[in-house]
Amino acid sequence: VAARIDHSFSHHGIAVSDAYAWMRDPGYPDVTNEDVLNHLHAENAYFEAHMAPYEELVTELFEEMKARQPQDDEGVPFKDGDYTYQWRFEGGAQYRRWYRAPVETSDRWSLVLDEVALAEPHEFFRLGGLSFSDDGNHVAYSADTTGAERFALTIVNLTTGQTVDTTIDQTLGSPVWANNTTLLYAVVNENWRPHQVRKHVLGSSVDADAVVYDEPDESFFVGVDRTMSGDYLIINSGDHVTSEVRVLATTDLEGQWRLVSPRKAGHQYDVDHQGDHFYIRTNDTHRNFRLVRTAVATPEPQYWEEIIAGSDERYLRHLMCLRDHVLVGERRKGLDHVCVIAGEQEHLVEFPEAAYSAGFGTNADFDQPFVRLSYQSMVTPSTVFDYDFATRSLTERKVQQIPGGYDAGAYETVRLNAPARDGATVPVSVVYRKGLPRDGSAPLMLYGYGAYGIAIPPSFSTTRLSLLDRGFGFAIAHIRGGDDLGYHWYEDGKLDKRTNTFNDFVDVAQHLIDQNYTSAGKLAISGGSAGGELMGAVANQAPELWGAVGAHVPFVDVLNTMLDDTLPLTPIEWPEWGNPIEDKAAFEYIQSYSPYDQVEVKDYPPLFVTAGLNDPRVTYWEPAKWVAKLRYLKTDSNPVIFKVEMGAGHGGKSGRFDALRQVAEEYAFFLTEIS
């Protein structure tokens, strides 16, 4: 039971009380307050005590999930410059090792980066970026060892194996080589905003690194990239709905960066290069984007020539240029497609199933006569294809290994359309083991996200098999707020339409009940981050439907966070949620659905909640406050348990096996609460 300490404030003349505001350490991001730490440790002890009787089930699930992961695994080799590269998991390791071999002698593999050794001293390890100089003599990599997503950048001479120059702290994103001796990287400020791009020259002092670009807008993040051709560097600046791009030839590093199109609220675009032209994906005339091109000498909008017109039927999502082909990842009627353009001709890649998820894989060679694609479905394991442009054929390069075997024929997947309360139709992807009773007696896990225009694809999961094989169905609600059906689907779930997202999820659940896939009280639901906000909102709206709720790093204290412009993500988030500091209507609307603010005196379902102490995206105190308020107000005896990873961030544990433990705990909770 958390202490309650009176705290209140007023904004727009509206008074707000928050008895758990004390849980935010005033020294954040350093968390040293004894009362706060004692409370979090007590929460973890309570979690362990609650889960202790189910340890045998947790271990059983964990071992099942772990057994479906190969002890040894490797990626499909890819060519980059004069070398072929490959990652490998070896001897049951939790992290990868990276190897390469000269293209002409492809059997002479040598180790170029050892994540296993780099991770060994740390509780948490995440490789942020990996980039090789043009001549292959140096590798630059960034690593996060706390989960706070502040990456240290290191450069290694691959001939000597020695670190070059000084490690560069406080970076974000992948470093980008401009040539053999010059490296560009983005740095974050004290509020974790990537605000500058700097240039480092090998052999020089890091302190002397020049600032190439400094973004003054507190709501914009900045990043650096390089075109597939390697001929141009790109600086991207933007928030969730607006972008701005600058380009510079790699042959003229002392030249002036050229602005492609000045920022305009709501205008998003990205740029790649082929031959004499830049290709640009832009939403300037249609919200589903169009494809244009322009001569490299005249990148400005007045010179853009349309290649693919914007339309309601084609939602253009990704752009990539190879020497002889332009590739566009798009979505039609909610289904992924890859469009291949060569000259005046275009065609779609044909995939083997009617419902699937597909996109670009690892493509590092501008000259390659194929495009590498990733592919999967609810019943088909992750597959790597190479699509040959000349023959228009797919070659299978790798299928996800599942030790012990997997029989796709034992499972079935369907696509449903659920009617929403306002007349919209919401797609639902469902998978289950054949023979699942359709009389409402089966439990079912329903997953959702619904924010930032991020679609949740109908993808494959080996961990999910542990539920399916125990009689659960599994469904994904493709709710508004994601871009599953086009950019309008995203727009209809944000700002003053945010509650559509929550309503859609509840309506999908009711449709699954009406179709006898499950029944009220037999639904386990799960979501993370903004999907955790979804869990909090639907737990408030329709608690009687849910047999158990999993809320991971949940963004549940929306109003307080959007009022705090000192937090890392708040200014960049205003285009998504609204700015309650300046806008009274936004304040009132956010308050009306913010899960923390809307907790009431009533019954709630069992809840399994997680957080990361070092999480810069959803701060630990959001779920901590929500859990405390739920326990204080709810009128039932259902458990609310809360686990705080004290050495991790937004993504939880980092090792490939360690990460499975939390999934096993959540599934054990679901299986225990829904009998």
Side-chain angles (χ1 to χ4, degrees):
V1 176
R4 292 173 55 81
I5 301 174
D6 287 343
H7 173 81
S8 63
F9 64 91
S10 180
H11 205 81
H12 300 298
I14 302 169
V16 178
S17 297
D18 186 359
Y20 302 106
W22 65 268
M23 291 187 185
R24 175 182 176 167
D25 190 315
Y28 180 82
D30 295 322
V31 183
T32 59
N33 183 279
E34 188 173 337
D35 290 337
V36 171
L37 290 172
N38 286 343
H39 177 71
L40 298 180
H41 287 305
E43 286 283 14
N44 281 341
Y46 181 66
F47 177 92
E48 295 298 334
H50 179 86
M51 294 299 293
Y54 316 114
E55 181 58 31
E56 185 175 337
L57 176 57
V58 172
T59 300
E60 178 184 327
L61 289 163
F62 173 70
E63 292 300 333
E64 278 180 15
M65 296 172 186
K66 186 177 178 181
R68 295 190 194 107
Q69 305 292 319
Q71 291 292 297
D72 298 305
D73 196 9
E74 60 186 32
V76 180
F78 62 92
K79 181 179 178 294
D80 186 5
D82 295 330
Y83 294 90
T84 300
Y85 294 87
Q86 183 186 52
W87 59 258
R88 300 173 190 171
F89 284 112
E90 298 174 313
Q94 299 218 64
Y95 299 93
R96 293 180 172 94
R97 290 187 174 97
W98 295 80
Y99 293 85
R100 76 175 183 186
V103 170
E104 66 276 8
T105 54
S106 57
D107 59 340
R108 290 176 47 200
W109 293 98
S110 59
L111 181 66
V112 290
L113 190 75
D114 189 348
E115 289 187 52
V116 178
L118 293 172
E120 198 278 329
H122 306 287
E123 181 181 350
F124 180 96
F125 177 85
R126 177 184 167 195
L127 184 69
L130 182 65
S131 182
F132 297 90
S133 60
D134 290 1
D135 58 11
N137 289 339
H138 293 86
V139 60
Y141 70 90
S142 59
D144 171 18
T145 57
T146 68
E149 299 185 51
R150 294 174 181 267
F151 293 81
L153 175 59
T154 303
I155 305 169
V156 176
N157 183 313
L158 291 173
T159 301
T160 66
Q162 300 300 307
T163 298
V164 177
D165 303 334
T166 305
T167 295
I168 305 171
D169 293 321
Q170 307 296 314
T171 75
L172 189 68
S174 186
V176 174
W177 289 94
N179 52 33
N180 295 327
T181 59
T182 305
L183 184 76
L184 274 69
Y185 59 95
V187 296
V188 296
N189 62 13
E190 64 278 3
N191 283 335
W192 189 72
R193 181 176 73 93
H195 68 119
Q196 287 182 347
V197 173
R198 297 179 184 173
K199 179 173 66 175
H200 179 72
V201 178
L202 291 182
S204 66
S205 169
V206 170
D207 294 336
D209 287 357
V211 175
V212 174
Y213 178 75
D214 192 344
E215 173 54 57
D217 191 328
E218 287 293 325
S219 67
F220 271 42
F221 280 22
V222 67
V224 62
D225 205 349
R226 189 172 174 178
T227 60
M228 277 291 295
S229 65
D231 293 343
Y232 288 88
L233 296 166
I234 294 174
I235 290 177
N236 300 288
S237 191
D239 58 20
H240 291 302
V241 298
T242 303
S243 58
E244 187 175 68
V245 176
R246 290 168 170 79
V247 295
L248 179 70
T250 53
T251 55
D252 184 23
L253 296 184
E254 300 305 318
Q256 294 294 312
W257 290 80
R258 187 152 187 177
L259 179 62
V260 176
S261 178
R263 67 188 64 179
K264 179 182 178 182
H267 181 209
Q268 293 176 275
Y269 67 100
D270 49 74
V271 179
D272 206 352
H273 167 252
Q274 181 197 76
D276 296 328
H277 294 92
F278 289 123
Y279 283 79
I280 302 165
R281 186 187 70 104
T282 172
N283 68 348
D284 59 344
T285 64
H286 197 286
R287 60 188 176 186
N288 276 348
F289 293 81
R290 64 177 180 141
L291 180 67
V292 301
R293 74 174 186 179
T294 184
V296 295
T298 54
E300 295 81 7
Q302 62 266 34
Y303 301 107
W304 292 358
E305 169 195 358
E306 187 169 271
I307 305 299
I308 299 176
S311 74
D312 292 339
E313 290 72 36
R314 300 176 67 175
Y315 174 35
L316 310 187
R317 302 182 63 246
H318 303 292
L319 166 67
M320 181 174 67
C321 293
L322 299 177
R323 182 172 299 281
D324 299 316
H325 297 84
V326 175
L327 291 306
V328 179
E330 57 183 81
R331 192 171 288 139
R332 305 186 185 191
K333 295 181 179 179
L335 192 64
D336 291 338
H337 289 280
V338 175
C339 178
V340 180
I341 303 172
E344 301 299 317
Q345 302 298 314
E346 69 173 70
H347 69 272
L348 295 179
V349 176
E350 293 186 9
F351 292 106
E353 293 176 281
Y356 57 86
S357 171
F360 299 140
T362 302
N363 295 276
D365 182 9
F366 185 64
D367 297 323
Q368 65 192 31
F370 64 87
V371 60
R372 182 155 294 166
L373 303 171
S374 60
Y375 176 91
Q376 57 188 305
S377 75
M378 296 283 273
V379 296
T380 301
S382 178
T383 304
V384 178
F385 285 122
D386 284 349
Y387 180 75
D388 185 274
F389 299 128
T391 63
R392 297 193 179 184
S393 61
L394 290 167
T395 299
E396 186 180 282
R397 296 298 308 274
K398 180 185 177 181
V399 178
Q400 180 181 357
Q401 301 175 49
I402 305 175
Y406 165 72
D407 178 11
Y411 304 89
E412 191 168 2
T413 183
V414 295
R415 183 91 158 183
L416 305 177
N417 290 298
R421 65 194 69 178
D422 65 352
T425 300
V426 184
V428 191
S429 297
V430 187
V431 64
Y432 48 86
R433 193 172 182 90
K434 288 181 177 178
L436 184 86
R438 287 286 301 279
D439 58 6
S441 64
L444 182 140
M445 178 177 167
L446 178 61
Y447 182 82
Y449 186 73
Y452 304 113
I454 297 173
I456 303 299
S459 56
F460 185 77
S461 167
T462 58
T463 57
R464 185 191 303 152
L465 298 177
S466 290
L467 285 182
L468 302 185
D469 292 348
R470 286 174 171 80
F472 267 68
F474 180 91
I476 300 170
H478 302 286
I479 51 183
R480 283 173 282 187
D483 66 355
D484 306 66
L485 297 183
Y487 200 80
H488 76 283
W489 203 243
Y490 165 46
E491 292 180 317
D492 286 348
K494 62 181 293 193
L495 293 173
D496 60 356
K497 298 179 180 179
R498 180 63 185 153
T499 52
N500 284 340
T501 302
F502 317 137
N503 296 342
D504 283 357
F505 191 87
V506 173
D507 295 343
V508 164
Q510 189 60 56
H511 185 68
L512 290 166
I513 292 169
D514 294 343
Q515 296 298 309
N516 292 320
Y517 282 96
T518 188
S519 57
K522 289 187 173 292
L523 274 157
I525 59 174
S526 184
S529 196
E533 177 211 26
L534 170 67
M535 295 300 102
V538 301
N540 286 334
Q541 182 182 142
E544 71 282 355
L545 293 183
W546 323 124
V549 179
H552 301 284
V553 292
F555 177 43
V556 285
D557 194 12
V558 186
L559 181 63
N560 279 315
T561 295
M562 288 299 100
L563 285 169
D564 188 349
D565 58 7
T566 68
L567 290 174
L569 288 177
T570 292
I572 198 175
E573 296 287 337
W574 287 328
E576 182 77 15
W577 313 100
N579 184 346
I581 297 175
E582 298 180 355
D583 185 345
K584 182 179 180 182
F587 182 103
E588 293 175 331
Y589 186 62
I590 292 171
Q591 187 181 43
S592 75
Y593 69 73
S594 175
Y596 178 66
D597 293 275
Q598 294 304 316
V599 174
E600 297 176 323
V601 178
K602 63 182 179 184
D603 287 358
Y604 279 88
L607 283 108
F608 179 103
V609 186
T610 67
L613 185 68
N614 299 327
D615 188 348
R617 297 174 184 266
V618 177
T619 51
Y620 72 87
W621 61 82
E622 291 202 34
K625 291 167 57 178
W626 180 52
V627 163
K629 191 173 184 180
L630 280 164
R631 292 209 192 103
Y632 179 71
L633 291 178
K634 73 189 190 75
T635 53
D636 58 84
S637 59
N638 291 325
V640 178
I641 58 174
F642 179 39
K643 183 176 186 178
V644 187
E645 295 292 351
M646 303 301 284
H650 198 62
K653 294 281 191 180
S654 58
R656 63 168 174 153
F657 297 131
D658 287 346
L660 297 175
R661 180 80 184 181
Q662 183 172 292
V663 181
E665 290 172 336
E666 181 188 42
Y667 283 9
F669 185 79
F670 289 166
L671 289 163
T672 301
E673 297 298 331
I674 303 177
S675 55

